[in-house]
Amino acid sequence: MKLNTVKPRNTDWRNVYELRPVVLISACLAQVPVRFSGDTASNKHVKRILPGVDLVPVCPEMSIGLGTPRPTLRLVKHADDIRLIQPDGQVDRTDAMHAFSNSVVAGFDVDGILLKAYSPTCGPRGVKVYNEAGTGLHPVTTAGVFAKLLLQAQPDVATEDEGRLNDASLRQAFLIRIYASARWRAFRETAKRLADLQEFHAANKILYYAFHPDVLREMGDIAAGHGSCNLDSCLEDYAAAYFRLLASMPTRGRWVNALQHASGFVSRSITPAQRQQVSQTISAFADALVPLSVPVFQLRALAEANCSGYLSKQTFWEPWPLALAQPDSSVAT
């Protein structure tokens, strides 16, 4: 099965509103009525995100010829294997689902994956497994058949289910990662020289501080050309580190680190009273008294009024279009 996935766009990577991440999504979450009951699956956070991305809807069950409505499927433990069984008649759909899944993973390339939670085909984690007799649950949960092959083929792609998007920190991390992936693609289409990579690195640097400092240092060395690499190899090495950095979860402490780096640049151009206000706001965020949006918006306003150049170009201020979700206080500790 050949999916319509990422295509060249001639997009300006600097403008978050030009970026359109490509997201493979369980079709029911894209409001296509393909569930076993003939319904869609609804989630307010998914609905809010959808206008900002390009969707690749997939329903594995419909793709192997099962209609809707249809008998439910379940994962069943058989000896050392887990099979996808339709209990109505005990029909085994595993081989058909494997064939479909392999046809998908062989030819797709996306910025993110958004799957139906707990589905025996699409669930990325926590899917129930029944015992062979069908009378009870096996003690181990797993990923759905389609999701497991998808994640094995694309381990570096941001992947969530709609249930986890109810957690603000996970929703925020997912949006950062899919827009960062789209930003890299847009940059990669236009990069002509090492100086372009250095510009890209500089524009993202404060956002990087919210992730992994060791990987950030590695990326800085690559962008500086310290290994005397040619452009293609530098871009390849940088991309590997870039997606490794983004796979780490931002914590409150790392967000504070990013905010402090931003405030260090702003502080050079503001009054002592304003510096004190910024410091108090960052401390309030560190103590979980205010959401992340408060120090970010405060610093951004001060930067726009008093600074130019390096700070004004930072993707940190809006790593995704904020209409899709506001920065929230519920970040990981």
Side-chain angles (χ1 to χ4, degrees):
M1 178 184 179
K2 183 66 175 178
L3 298 180
N4 294 320
T5 52
V6 175
K7 298 178 180 177
R9 293 178 177 276
N10 296 318
T11 301
D12 183 359
W13 62 265
R14 303 167 190 83
N15 185 347
V16 71
Y17 290 94
E18 287 191 21
L19 301 176
R20 298 282 301 181
V22 176
V23 176
L24 185 146
I25 187 170
S26 294
C28 59
L29 292 174
Q31 302 306 293
V32 182
V34 292
R35 296 199 73 198
F36 70 94
S37 58
D39 297 327
T40 64
S42 182
N43 178 280
K44 66 180 181 180
H45 299 298
V46 174
K47 286 183 177 179
R48 192 170 179 182
I49 290 171
L50 295 187
V53 302
D54 289 341
L55 299 178
V56 182
V58 176
C59 176
E61 291 88 342
M62 295 288 283
S63 297
I64 65 168
L66 304 182
T68 184
R70 60 180 172 268
T72 58
L73 296 168
R74 59 172 55 169
L75 297 181
V76 178
K77 180 74 171 175
H78 280 271
D80 294 329
D81 196 11
I82 294 176
R83 309 295 293 178
L84 182 67
I85 303 295
Q86 214 161 8
D88 179 24
Q90 292 296 307
V91 180
D92 190 327
R93 304 289 186 181
T94 313
D95 293 343
M97 189 57 66
H98 280 163
F100 165 73
S101 302
N102 286 324
S103 73
V104 171
V105 301
F108 94 110
D109 189 16
V110 296
D111 297 306
I113 301 171
L114 187 52
L115 298 172
K116 181 70 189 78
Y118 307 120
S119 160
T121 57
C122 286
R125 59 186 66 79
V127 181
K128 295 177 181 178
V129 179
Y130 290 80
N131 63 30
E132 191 166 355
T135 57
L137 295 178
H138 192 270
V140 175
T141 61
T142 187
V145 178
F146 174 67
K148 181 177 288 188
L149 291 175
L150 200 63
L151 299 180
Q152 288 173 352
Q154 298 287 338
D156 295 328
V157 175
T159 302
E160 282 299 351
D161 62 57
E162 87 284 6
R164 281 167 54 95
L165 290 188
N166 293 321
D167 181 303
S169 62
L170 297 175
R171 184 170 65 249
Q172 197 163 262
F174 181 72
L175 285 165
I176 289 175
R177 290 181 68 187
I178 64 174
Y179 273 88
S181 177
R183 186 176 298 113
W184 175 257
R185 293 180 187 279
F187 164 74
R188 188 64 185 88
E189 289 171 12
T190 58
K192 304 295 184 188
R193 46 196 188 130
L194 191 58
D196 295 331
L197 180 59
Q198 291 163 355
E199 179 192 359
F200 182 87
H201 183 75
N204 287 283
K205 192 170 183 180
I206 291 179
L207 179 62
Y208 292 160
Y209 278 113
F211 289 85
H212 200 297
D214 292 338
V215 182
L216 171 57
R217 285 189 286 272
E218 177 186 341
M219 293 163 68
D221 287 342
I222 296 169
H226 287 171
S228 301
C229 55
N230 61 45
L231 179 62
D232 287 341
S233 61
C234 276
L235 291 174
E236 184 177 337
D237 291 346
Y238 190 92
Y242 180 73
F243 287 103
R244 185 154 38 92
L245 175 134
L246 292 169
S248 62
M249 185 71 179
T251 63
R252 187 176 297 277
R254 287 177 179 172
W255 279 118
V256 169
N257 187 29
L259 291 166
Q260 288 173 337
H261 274 84
S263 71
F265 288 94
V266 172
S267 294
R268 303 169 188 174
S269 306
I270 59 178
T271 67
Q274 288 173 319
R275 283 196 290 274
Q276 184 177 11
Q277 290 174 344
V278 168
S279 177
Q280 290 171 343
T281 303
I282 294 175
S283 294
F285 168 72
D287 294 334
L289 300 176
V290 299
L292 178 61
S293 57
V294 173
V296 169
F297 291 164
Q298 180 190 45
L299 282 166
R300 186 177 188 178
L302 290 169
E304 289 176 348
N306 299 282
C307 307
S308 60
Y310 173 79
L311 201 60
S312 65
K313 297 175 181 177
Q314 291 298 307
T315 60
F316 174 77
W317 305 123
E318 197 165 3
W320 70 86
L322 295 183
L324 304 184
Q326 289 294 314
D328 196 276
S329 59
S330 303
V331 298
T333 57

